[in-house]
Amino acid sequence: MHRRDFLRLAAAAPLLATPLYAAERHLLQLNGYPLNAETPLELLTDYLTPNDLFFVRSHWIPRMPDAKTWRLKIDGNVARPLSLSLAELKKLPRVETTCVLQCAGNGRALHSPVLPGVQWSYGAVGNARWAGVRVRDVLERAGINANAKHLHLFGSDDPPGKVPPFHRSIEMGKAMDDCILAYEMNGAPLPQSHGAPLRMVVPGWAGDHWMKWLVRISASDKPQTGFYMDTAYRWPLKPGEPGVSFKPEEMRPVTEIAVKSNITTAPKVARVGVPIDIRGFAFSGAPDIARVEITDDDGAHWKAATLDVRHSAHAWRLWSFRYTPKRAGIVKLAARATDSRNTAQPRTAIWNQSGYLYNAWQSVSIEVKA
Ligand SMILES: Nc1nc2c(c(=O)[nH]1)N[C@H]1C(S)=C(S)[C@@H](COP(=O)(O)O)O[C@H]1N2
Ligand SMILES: [Mo]
């Protein structure tokens, strides 16, 4: 074993359990309990990721609310604090949105040297159709005050001892714009592992904002404080020297996810002159993917992939590309997405000590036979 490989393994050991390869269709379990599990990249081929294949990320042992006695409290800087049951919430206008949920840490394992944290590779991401009520409708019912600039989010999970609770807040502008409180996922009641009975859906923003098992939302003039706001989930204001840690004041909270494409489907072997199809998905925090391109010469030339007809501002876009190998040997195909703001996926991801928002070009190697 190379020294580097050994260090990689040694550093990752406390977090990595042996993946279970027993079932055909399965998640890859990354630690014990609470469950953190990602979807194998080659299974992320559907426009809507099936609920049972959707990655799970929970900081602490979940305490799932009892749907019968559960209520959502709405308080803080509002004229009329409310407490709503699920039946009462469901009387508000129902809205649907199809969008990507990606953990900020997706791709952390692809950084070198290895960074501490759950070792996600490609599969802490999925695309789902979420249904519920607008955050705006609920807050307007409660008579939200104009000076409330942040929405504090509280789930029912309860960490042990002095471990900091997973408390977060989100800017009110975003919450009032397009966020929903979801009780359904892909046409089914929201599964327990994904936050039943109610979770936040924050289109275009990283998963840490998508509070599960919601029990209270509270309007405030200040952001939430605590470990998960002040230390974790922060992103450099300006790019820095790889390997050098940023200070908290050189960072701001992670918000939008970064433009990215992944290759889900490609043959291992091809023949000279015989076309092959490769497929994948692309998404960004900016609304809509403008294009996906493929290179076979490490970025010197790019050709446009075909985008699938299905799309929605913050959903992912499936794509396919027909490629005819010209000569025998190993060919490396890499994909690059560009979003509606003309931001293109970079060759290397932006360095940050937590390994958030990894979005470097991904490639596949194919053996081309004569
Ligand atoms: N209450 C609560 N909500 C939470 C979390 C959590 O630990 N507790 N994890 C967050 C993070 S970091 C992510 S990436 C998403 C994951 O959602 P999923 O498990 O439905 O895929 O939930 C978010 N919501
Ligand atoms: Mo996350």
Side-chain angles (χ1 to χ4, degrees):
M1 200 189 287
H2 291 295
R3 186 179 143 77
R4 216 184 57 197
D5 289 344
F6 174 75
L7 289 177
R8 250 183 108 89
L9 282 176
L15 298 159
L16 278 173
T18 314
L20 306 166
Y21 289 104
E24 268 184 12
R25 219 174 96 107
H26 54 77
L27 294 168
L28 298 176
Q29 187 173 345
L30 300 186
N31 69 341
Y33 203 69
L35 177 68
N36 287 313
E38 69 175 84
T39 318
L41 181 56
E42 66 274 17
L43 297 183
L44 287 173
T45 50
D46 298 299
Y47 181 57
L48 297 178
T49 310
N51 291 358
D52 64 340
L53 270 184
F54 209 99
F55 85 96
V56 179
R57 198 281 183 258
S58 303
H59 288 80
W60 307 117
I61 295 167
R63 190 172 292 177
M64 324 274 192
D66 175 352
K68 287 199 201 80
T69 53
W70 177 90
R71 301 184 80 84
L72 178 71
K73 278 203 188 74
I74 301 108
D75 61 12
N77 207 342
V78 295
R80 298 176 291 280
L82 298 173
S83 164
L84 300 176
S85 68
L86 196 55
E88 286 164 339
L89 269 165
K90 285 185 175 172
K91 285 186 194 137
L92 293 172
R94 177 194 155 93
V95 290
E96 282 188 358
T97 180
T98 299
C99 57
V100 165
L101 164 54
Q102 181 187 227
C103 179
N106 192 29
R108 180 179 292 127
L110 307 169
H111 280 280
S112 178
V114 94
L115 294 169
V118 182
Q119 296 299 299
W120 305 108
S121 45
Y122 297 104
V125 64
N127 190 52
R129 194 171 71 236
W130 312 94
V133 297
R134 283 186 203 92
V135 170
R136 193 200 315 144
D137 289 347
V138 174
L139 290 179
E140 279 173 356
R141 237 178 143 225
I144 180 154
N145 288 332
N147 60 349
K149 297 290 182 236
H150 301 269
L151 185 63
H152 295 213
L153 307 165
F154 300 92
S156 60
D157 42 348
D158 190 11
K162 293 206 170 101
V163 167
F166 184 68
H167 285 172
R168 301 268 321 156
S169 65
I170 175 169
E171 288 151 48
M172 195 58 84
K174 178 66 178 171
M176 296 290 276
D177 178 27
D178 62 354
C179 292
I180 73 168
L181 301 167
Y183 46 71
E184 270 178 38
M185 180 176 179
N186 291 327
L190 188 67
Q192 285 220 319
S193 55
H194 297 292
L198 197 72
R199 83 172 305 164
M200 273 292 278
V201 166
V202 187
W205 285 27
D208 46 293
H209 305 278
W210 296 48
M211 187 65 71
K212 303 195 275 188
W213 313 296
L214 272 175
V215 286
R216 179 179 162 217
I217 58 175
S218 186
S220 171
D221 55 344
K222 291 194 186 65
Q224 179 71 268
T225 55
F227 177 77
Y228 289 101
M229 292 297 291
D230 304 329
T231 307
Y233 297 115
R234 295 183 79 82
W235 181 253
L237 291 164
K238 284 192 232 122
E241 198 58 33
V244 181
S245 288
F246 294 94
K247 299 186 190 77
E249 63 273 20
E250 295 171 329
M251 299 192 289
R252 54 149 180 95
V254 165
T255 54
E256 284 188 357
I257 49 183
V259 62
K260 182 173 182 178
S261 61
N262 282 128
I263 302 167
T264 57
T265 314
K268 294 219 157 34
V269 181
R271 276 196 185 282
V272 173
V274 181
I276 55 166
D277 286 321
I278 72 164
R279 295 174 191 285
F281 57 79
F283 61 86
S284 175
D288 291 312
I289 284 297
R291 59 187 172 277
V292 174
E293 297 155 298
I294 307 297
T295 180
D296 66 355
D297 54 11
D298 198 35
H301 302 88
W302 295 91
K303 281 198 178 132
T306 304
L307 301 181
D308 187 78
V309 289
R310 288 164 292 181
H311 70 104
S312 173
H314 293 289
W316 69 25
R317 194 90 191 241
L318 300 184
W319 55 263
S320 64
F321 184 78
R322 180 151 289 188
Y323 179 75
T324 307
K326 292 175 278 287
R327 65 192 75 80
I330 303 289
V331 66
K332 200 172 102 180
L333 299 180
R336 171 179 81 177
T338 304
D339 66 27
S340 63
R341 292 187 201 134
N342 215 23
T343 306
Q345 190 177 347
R347 181 189 286 271
T348 40
I350 292 179
W351 156 255
N352 64 100
Q353 65 257 36
S354 304
Y356 293 138
L357 304 182
Y358 181 92
N359 69 336
W361 299 346
Q362 186 217 337
S363 62
V364 288
S365 291
I366 300 168
E367 186 192 346
V368 181
K369 294 189 170 166

